Amino acid sequence: MYATTTLDGTSARISWRGDVDFDTLPALRAAADALPADVADLLWDLNDAPFMDVTGLHFLFAPTQVDGPNRRTTVTGLRQQPLRLLLLAADLDPAAFDIARLPPEFRPPPDSF
């Protein structure tokens, strides 16, 4: 597992390789915490993340913490298992996991669960 960070002005892209779970959470946080304070947009690229557990789901998709930097966070490259986990979580708690922001091709058809 490792993260590669690319900066472009006030935007950052963190490309993560490996699982997104409780064990990797410290490295994920460290990658985000190492960003300059002026980064306003953060893109997590998960093309090389085959697995995500509920810890990763909350870290990446829950609202930002009150004491953290105010950044617009986006996730791209969700593979099958992480996407399925997100869709299940959204089905259980639509207010916490708003899938309306997902591109249409990633949204399930109505009544698919």
Side-chain angles (χ1 to χ4, degrees), residues 4-34:
T4 303
T5 302
T6 306
L7 296 172
D8 183 13
T10 60
S11 297
R13 177 187 200 107
I14 299 176
S15 299
W16 181 256
R17 184 178 193 92
D19 293 342
V20 179
D21 58 20
F22 181 79
D23 291 332
T24 61
L25 188 59
L28 290 161
R29 281 197 176 126
D33 291 346

Side-chain angles (χ1 to χ4, degrees), residues 71-112:
R71 292 185 176 129
R72 185 176 77 90
T73 302
T74 309
V75 176
T76 189
L78 285 175
R79 293 173 69 181
Q80 185 177 358
Q81 185 276 332
L83 179 60
R84 178 79 175 142
L85 180 64
L86 174 61
L87 294 175
L88 287 170
D91 191 48
L92 293 171
D93 190 354
F97 300 99
D98 179 13
I99 62 169
R101 295 181 357 188
L102 287 174
E105 64 269 17
F106 291 118
R107 285 186 242 145
D111 301 322
S112 65

Side-chain angles (χ1 to χ4, degrees), residues 28-86:
L28 290 161
R29 281 197 176 126
D33 291 346
L35 295 173
D38 66 339
V39 169
D41 294 302
L42 171 56
L43 174 66
W44 287 97
D45 181 346
L46 301 181
N47 279 299
D48 293 319
F51 173 82
M52 181 185 306
D53 72 2
V54 111
T55 306
L57 184 73
H58 282 280
F59 174 73
L60 295 168
F61 295 98
T64 55
Q65 299 176 2
V66 175
D67 60 344
N70 186 18
R71 292 185 176 129
R72 185 176 77 90
T73 302
T74 309
V75 176
T76 189
L78 285 175
R79 293 173 69 181
Q80 185 177 358
Q81 185 276 332
L83 179 60
R84 178 79 175 142
L85 180 64
L86 174 61

